[in-house]
């Protein structure tokens, strides 16, 4: 056990120094006892916890939608020139049947955060989702270069704490 803990710490430090862990939040305690949450490793004080908000729970996209998205990708359709997708605004890709999407929208409304919604069940939404390499689930939230797949309150809190 004594060997396992240092190995885990070294592994975490190596990964985060390489920048491989996106959406990582560090909880640390400063020398004067303050608790700090940051997307940067602490320079002084004690590291308490490393939290990763990468693979949040998400609703799977139906096979029919996935096949349509693949067809659109192969057709070379590019909606990225659309001003909605080129924007630096917050964009939420969602579907009406998705429970996690409803939670994400409720979270955003509760915080008073404005966003542009793209319904992946529409023709435009399928193309847009394919272009941003949406993956296999929704919700997907984009803001500038940052992205958050899935939903959890903690993940969204971290996303907005470190938003560009």
């Amino acid at each position: 056990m004594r060997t396992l803990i240092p190995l885990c710490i070294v592994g975490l430090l190596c990964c985060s120094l390489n920048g491989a862990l996106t959406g990582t939040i560090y909880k640390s305690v400063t020398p004067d006892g303050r608790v700090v949450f940051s997307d940067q490793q602490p320079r002084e004080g004690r590291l308490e916890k490393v939290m990763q908000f990468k693979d949040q729970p998400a609703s799977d996209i139906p096979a029919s939608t996935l096949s349509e998205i693949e067809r659109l990708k192969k057709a070379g359709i590019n909606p990225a020139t659309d001003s909605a997708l080129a924007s630096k605004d917050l964009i939420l890709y969602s579907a009406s049947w998705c429970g996690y999407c409803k939670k994400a929208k409720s979270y955003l409304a509760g915080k008073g955060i404005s966003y542009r919604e793209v319904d992946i069940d529409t023709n435009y939404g399928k193309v847009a989702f394919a272009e941003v390499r949406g993956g296999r689930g929704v919700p997907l939230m984009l803001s500038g270069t940052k992205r958050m797949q899935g939903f959890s309150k903690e993940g969204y809190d971290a996303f907005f704490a470190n938003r560009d």
Side-chain angles (χ1 to χ4, degrees), residues 100-113 115 141 151-161:
Y100 291 112
C101 297
K102 291 174 185 166
K103 289 180 181 184
K105 290 190 268 186
S106 176
Y107 174 96
L108 295 170
K111 299 280 186 178
I113 299 170
Y115 62 96
M141 184 169 50
F151 174 79
S152 78
K153 181 186 178 311
E154 296 81 12
Y156 272 42
D157 286 345
F159 183 90
F160 288 108

